[in-house]
Amino acid sequence: MAITLTTPEKEAVLKLREALADIKKSAEVSADYTLWGVSLEKDSEDSRLDVILVKFLRARNCDLTKATEMLTNTLVWRRKEKIDDILSEDIDDTLYRKLTFFHKTDKEGRPVCYAFYGDIDQDQVFADLDKFIRWRIQLMEKGIQMVDFVNVDSMVMLHDYKDTSFFGRNSNSKAGAKKVIQLMQDNYPEFLAVKLFVNLPWWGSAIFNMVRPLLSEATVKKFVVCSEYVFSMELLVCVTPYSHSILLLLGSIPR
């Protein structure tokens, strides 16, 4: 189903289009700069541009000034951190590939990202925090390649907390999580469709309260904390038929 914009959103997008030249100039990126493969030309007839721009507007409650600032800051960050080259970087993911990964799509064609927080060697995984963050950004950019900005403009996240320990999080893991959350909030607006939490331990609410100040109200509303049964039903409704094998992997239904 094609992505639709409301009338007020369309009007705001037109205004943001008019500001694109100044935004690119302020961010010190080239006049022919492309974001996620889409040209930021105000007169572009590519409908994907409107979908990308409205994401920044929605992230700032359609406040044109704030959306302009957010887009400008994102372009500055991408330039300074060389994010547009990150997909070509050879980042050794030996320690990370089983921690978080994308696996196919849900029934609406949205990429599904699985994150596992239990049974990992945090001293090893988070030893090089800069490398971990760089890898996580690269993974996000790979996920965006699965988004066409025509029929799909968001992703499904699934976080599994099986076998995690309240006392098992070291300072680097906490710092890494905080940094990644902030980067996603600041530079990847409205990419989250829904986030499912499964096998959440009793102390999970304490962790949530720690990161809650970093999250917008709109983001929090997309969170679904699932019991074993509810999780199984939620995923089976949301994800395509191969979800049974994923549920087995997660240990959320009998083998």
Side-chain angles (χ1 to χ4, degrees):
M1 181 180 295
I3 298 165
T4 59
L5 280 63
T6 66
T7 298
E9 286 176 342
K10 290 178 181 178
E11 294 173 352
V13 163
L14 286 175
K15 294 178 181 179
L16 191 52
R17 271 179 174 258
E18 289 297 320
L20 285 177
D22 289 338
I23 289 173
K24 288 182 287 186
K25 184 177 181 179
S26 296
E28 298 181 20
V29 298
S30 64
D32 60 352
Y33 185 84
T34 62
L35 179 59
W36 300 312
V38 178
S39 173
L40 297 184
E41 289 289 340
K42 73 169 187 175
D43 296 322
S44 171
E45 296 182 0
D46 189 341
S47 63
R48 296 177 301 166
L49 176 58
D50 292 347
V51 174
I52 288 176
L53 294 182
V54 82
K55 293 169 79 64
F56 286 88
L57 285 160
R58 288 171 177 170
R60 294 297 180 263
N61 297 315
C62 277
D63 185 310
L64 183 61
T65 300
K66 292 181 179 179
T68 298
E69 180 182 22
M70 183 184 190
L71 178 55
T72 303
N73 290 341
T74 292
L75 298 187
V76 169
W77 172 72
R78 294 183 72 87
R79 172 177 56 79
K80 289 183 175 180
E81 299 299 326
K82 296 181 172 27
I83 303 302
D84 294 309
D85 300 324
I86 202 168
L87 288 174
S88 63
E89 292 182 15
D90 185 14
I91 302 176
D92 182 6
D93 66 351
T94 303
L95 294 173
Y96 315 131
R97 67 181 63 151
K98 292 184 179 180
L99 176 65
T100 306
F101 55 87
F102 282 93
H103 183 71
K104 300 188 178 182
T105 65
D106 72 353
K107 290 183 177 180
E108 294 183 24
R110 300 175 299 197
V112 182
C113 183
Y114 299 85
F116 299 88
Y117 292 92
D119 193 27
I120 63 173
D121 188 331
Q122 295 190 31
D123 290 333
Q124 285 191 359
V125 170
F126 300 103
D128 187 338
L129 200 53
D130 289 337
K131 178 182 176 182
F132 168 77
I133 292 171
R134 192 74 179 171
W135 164 80
R136 186 61 185 84
I137 295 170
Q138 185 187 66
L139 181 68
M140 183 64 177
E141 292 288 329
K142 289 179 179 178
I144 292 175
Q145 287 193 311
M146 302 169 67
V147 171
D148 62 10
F149 297 111
V150 176
N151 298 304
V152 176
D153 71 338
S154 59
M155 309 170 180
V156 174
M157 294 288 298
L158 187 152
H159 286 204
D160 184 8
Y161 286 85
K162 184 178 182 181
D163 297 328
T164 56
S165 169
F166 180 77
F167 300 102
R169 302 181 73 229
N170 61 28
S171 59
N172 264 15
S173 72
K174 295 175 184 177
K178 182 177 180 180
K179 182 66 174 180
V180 168
I181 289 172
Q182 194 64 61
L183 286 172
M184 296 300 156
Q185 286 276 311
D186 292 344
N187 302 289
Y188 297 96
E190 298 296 304
F191 274 99
L192 179 64
V194 62
K195 181 177 289 188
L196 304 174
F197 293 86
V198 62
N199 295 319
L200 197 66
W202 62 268
W203 46 264
S205 59
I207 300 298
F208 176 76
N209 288 333
M210 290 172 58
V211 301
R212 174 66 181 81
L214 301 174
L215 306 172
S216 67
E217 287 298 326
T219 297
V220 173
K221 289 178 180 179
K222 298 174 183 177
F223 288 3
V224 179
V225 179
C226 305
S227 65
E228 181 175 314
Y229 173 77
V230 171
F231 168 70
S232 299
M233 293 303 101
E234 188 82 25
L235 193 61
L236 287 171
V237 167
C238 179
V239 183
T240 42
Y242 58 76
S243 60
H244 186 274
S245 62
I246 298 299
L247 289 170
L248 289 175
L249 173 65
L250 295 175
S252 296
I253 58 175
R255 294 181 181 273

